[in-house]
Amino acid sequence: MTVGPSPSYLADRARIERGETTCEAVVRRFLATIEAHNEHLNVLLAVDAEGALRQARRLDDMQAAGTLLPLHGLVVAVKDVICVEGQQTTCGSRMLADFTSLYDATAVTRLREAGAVLIGKANCD
């Protein structure tokens, strides 16, 4: 099994680097797909559209200033067992239904620092 960036991300990344699209446009495409299919598939428990768009705009500003990060524009969702500041983290449990994280997990911090865009929290059993 090969682990690495998806062909779709590599294509998006190349288009971002060439200036053919923006991180914001890529995020908007993901948000439209989520809107169209998530109710039926129930993949994401929460979608942070505003936060994702804010991250994407920041990355677009960085690129305009000449900076590209290693995961620049990679759209990711984290499982609902990983803490994201200000977002609910239930770990699939009703006992944690009211828990809102006060901090970002180290993995989230590192993803953001590398240029990934966090779009939401993925469902877990």
Side-chain angles (χ1 to χ4, degrees), residues 54-109:
R54 190 171 41 254
Q55 286 177 292
R57 289 183 197 112
R58 182 181 63 82
L59 290 167
D60 288 338
D61 290 345
M62 289 175 69
Q63 182 177 0
T67 300
L68 277 175
L69 299 172
L71 299 179
H72 204 93
L74 174 66
V75 179
V76 298
V78 295
K79 290 295 270 186
D80 189 37
V81 297
I82 299 175
C83 290
V84 177
E85 184 178 359
Q87 293 186 22
Q88 187 177 31
T89 302
T90 69
C91 301
S93 170
R94 284 186 231 158
M95 287 177 41
L96 294 172
D98 296 324
F99 176 72
T100 300
S101 180
L102 300 175
Y103 62 91
D104 281 340
T106 301
V108 170
T109 299

Side-chain angles (χ1 to χ4, degrees), residues 20-38:
E20 296 171 4
T21 192
T22 63
C23 293
E24 182 176 356
V26 171
V27 168
R28 287 188 183 281
R29 188 182 77 229
F30 272 84
L31 290 170
T33 301
I34 291 165
E35 177 72 25
H37 301 288
N38 194 55

